[in-house]
Amino acid sequence: MRSIWNGAISFGLVSIPIKLVNATESHSISFRQIHTEDGGRIRYRKVCELEDREVSQAEIGKGYEDADGTIIPITDEDLAHLPIPTTKTIEIVAFVPADRIDPLQMDAAYYLQAGGAPAAKPYTLLREALKRSNKVAIAKYALRGRERLGMLRVVGDAIAMHGLLWPDEVRAPEGVAPDTSVTVRDKELDLADALMDTLGEVDLDDLHDEYREAVEEVVAAKAAGEAPPEAPAPVSSGKVLDLMAALEKSVRAAKESRGEEPAAEPEKAEVRSLPQSTSARAAPKETGGKKSTAAKKTAAKKTTTKSTAKSAQSTKKTGAAAKSTAKKTSAKKTTAGKPTGSAKKTAARKRSA
C-alpha cells in the first residue's frame, strides 16, 4: 500500500518511525459531466484571472485570502516549518478507555506501518501495551495543512489510527428529538426487544453495496444497447396506525426471512360433541366421513335427548316395580297379621264344645 505521510509516533521519549497508509477504499461509481445534446465531456479549466489563460498543475500553489481580499502566498516549506511538533510526528497525549470516544467524532481511518527494521521493537511494544491496557491512545498530528486529533487502537497485529473531529466540530442534537411527550408501554418495548434479537445477529461480510451493483447493471445494459432493468414495485409506506401490530408483523417477517418458524398464533376454540351412545355412533355418516360442526351439535343434542328419555322411562319402570313390590309385601304382612275364615270357624267350634 502506498503511504500518504511519513513521520514518527512520539511515545514519551520513544520515537517509532512509521508510514501512514489509507485503511479504507471507496468502491462507489463515479460519473462524468457531459453535454446532453452530443455527449461531449464537460471539463473544468484552471484559469489565472490576471493573465486570463489556463495554467498547469505545476504552476498552482496555495494562498490565504485576507479579510480585505489580499492573497497571501503560503508555500509547502512554510507549512513544513510550523512551530509545532506534530508536523512530522504523531504525538500521543493520553491513554483512555475506548468508550470515552464518541463515535460522532470518528473520521477517516489509517494504518500505521512500521518504518523499517529499527521500528519493529518499539512498534510491537506500543501495540502490546495497548492490548494489555484495553485502552486507546489519543494523539495529535498534522496532515494536509491542518492539525488533527487521532485515536490509535490495535487491529489484528497492526496499529490503526482513526482521525477524530475536534470536540467543537461536533454539533449538539438540539431540535432533533421529538418535542412531544410520548409514553412507551412495556409490551411495545418487549416486542422491540424481540425484533432486535431477531435482527441483531448478522455477518458483516455478507453485507454489500446493492446500489452500486444496480448501477453497474444499468451501465452494462445500456452499453449493450439493451433496456435497463425495471425497478421493483415500491413498498407501501402508509402511516402506522397500530404500533403493536406493526412490531408483531415485523418480528414474524424477520423470523421468516431468516428461515425460522414464526410463533404459532393462538388457535380458536373448537366446539366438540359429548360422547355419543351406541345407537348414535351407529348413525350413518355424511359423505366424506366428516361431519360439520352443526351436524355434530345436532347429533349431540339428539343423543342427549334420547339418553334423557331412556333414563326417565327406566326411572318410571323402576318406580312402578318398587310400588308393586311394596304392595305385595304389605299384603303379605296384612295376611300374616290377621286370622283367616277357617281359623275363625275352628275357634268357634272349640268354644261351643
Side-chain angles (χ1 to χ4, degrees):
M1 290 184 285
R2 186 175 64 87
S3 64
I4 60 173
W5 185 89
N6 295 336
I9 300 175
S10 174
F11 178 32
L13 297 178
V14 178
S15 180
I16 311 171
I18 58 98
K19 296 179 180 180
L20 194 70
V21 298
N22 284 315
T24 62
E25 58 185 3
S26 175
H27 292 161
S28 62
I29 297 176
S30 59
F31 297 99
R32 302 294 186 184
Q33 290 185 331
I34 62 171
H35 188 198
T36 55
E37 291 186 4
D38 54 20
R41 282 281 306 277
I42 302 297
R43 298 179 183 271
Y44 291 100
R45 300 180 185 273
K46 298 179 180 180
V47 177
C48 174
E49 293 181 350
L50 297 179
E51 299 182 10
D52 194 20
R53 69 176 181 88
E54 186 177 355
V55 296
S56 64
Q57 184 62 37
E59 300 177 85
I60 299 175
K62 301 182 183 69
Y64 177 80
E65 186 175 2
D66 206 351
D68 59 0
T70 304
I71 301 295
I72 303 173
I74 301 294
T75 66
D76 291 339
E77 187 178 358
D78 293 332
L79 297 176
H81 292 85
L82 291 176
I84 55 174
T86 56
T87 52
K88 282 293 182 181
T89 303
I90 298 174
E91 182 183 10
I92 295 177
V93 296
F95 292 89
V96 300
D99 58 7
R100 285 272 303 276
I101 305 302
D102 189 340
L104 286 173
Q105 290 184 253
M106 304 287 280
D107 201 359
Y110 309 94
Y111 286 131
L112 303 181
Q113 181 181 2
K121 179 73 173 182
Y123 186 98
T124 304
L125 173 64
L126 176 59
R127 182 190 67 198
E128 296 304 313
L130 288 171
K131 278 185 181 180
R132 192 167 71 172
S133 67
N134 290 322
K135 292 182 178 181
V136 296
I138 302 301
K140 295 170 69 177
Y141 65 101
L143 181 65
R144 298 191 179 99
R146 56 179 293 228
E147 188 175 56
R148 303 167 186 262
L149 196 62
M151 178 190 75
L152 277 62
R153 69 184 183 96
V154 178
V155 177
D157 292 332
I159 298 176
M161 181 174 71
H162 296 269
L164 299 178
L165 299 175
W166 295 100
D168 60 358
E169 292 180 313
V170 179
R171 302 169 66 180
E174 295 178 358
V176 176
D179 57 358
T180 57
S181 178
V182 178
T183 301
V184 179
R185 295 178 294 171
D186 289 340
K187 289 184 178 180
E188 293 170 339
L189 281 174
D190 292 341
L191 282 172
D193 289 340
L195 182 57
M196 290 169 62
D197 291 340
T198 306
L199 300 177
E201 297 297 330
V202 65
D203 187 353
L204 295 180
D205 292 334
D206 294 337
L207 302 179
H208 57 280
D209 188 351
E210 296 182 5
Y211 179 85
R212 176 175 59 85
E213 294 175 355
V215 171
E216 289 175 346
E217 290 180 7
V218 171
V219 171
K222 298 201 74 172
E226 302 173 355
E230 295 183 1
V235 180
S236 175
S237 58
K239 295 181 179 179
V240 178
L241 299 179
D242 189 341
L243 182 58
M244 289 288 291
L247 287 169
E248 290 173 351
K249 187 176 180 180
S250 299
V251 171
R252 288 196 299 270
K255 288 183 177 180
E256 290 174 358
S257 66
R258 296 171 66 88
E260 300 178 12
E261 289 293 334
E265 296 183 359
E267 295 183 357
K268 296 182 179 180
E270 181 181 356
V271 180
R272 297 184 179 181
S273 60
L274 296 173
Q276 300 177 352
S277 62
T278 305
S279 58
R281 286 198 299 267
K285 297 182 179 179
E286 293 181 5
T287 305
K290 294 184 179 180
K291 294 183 177 181
S292 64
T293 305
K296 288 182 179 180
K297 289 181 178 179
T298 305
K301 289 180 179 179
K302 290 181 178 180
T303 303
T304 305
T305 305
K306 289 181 179 180
S307 299
T308 305
K310 288 184 177 181
S311 298
Q313 290 176 2
S314 177
T315 303
K316 288 180 180 180
K317 290 181 180 180
T318 304
K323 287 181 180 180
S324 176
T325 305
K327 287 181 180 180
K328 289 180 181 180
T329 304
S330 176
K332 287 181 179 179
K333 287 182 178 179
T334 304
T335 305
K338 295 181 180 180
T340 61
S342 57
K344 289 180 179 180
K345 290 179 180 179
T346 304
R349 288 175 182 173
K350 287 181 178 180
R351 284 196 298 269
S352 61

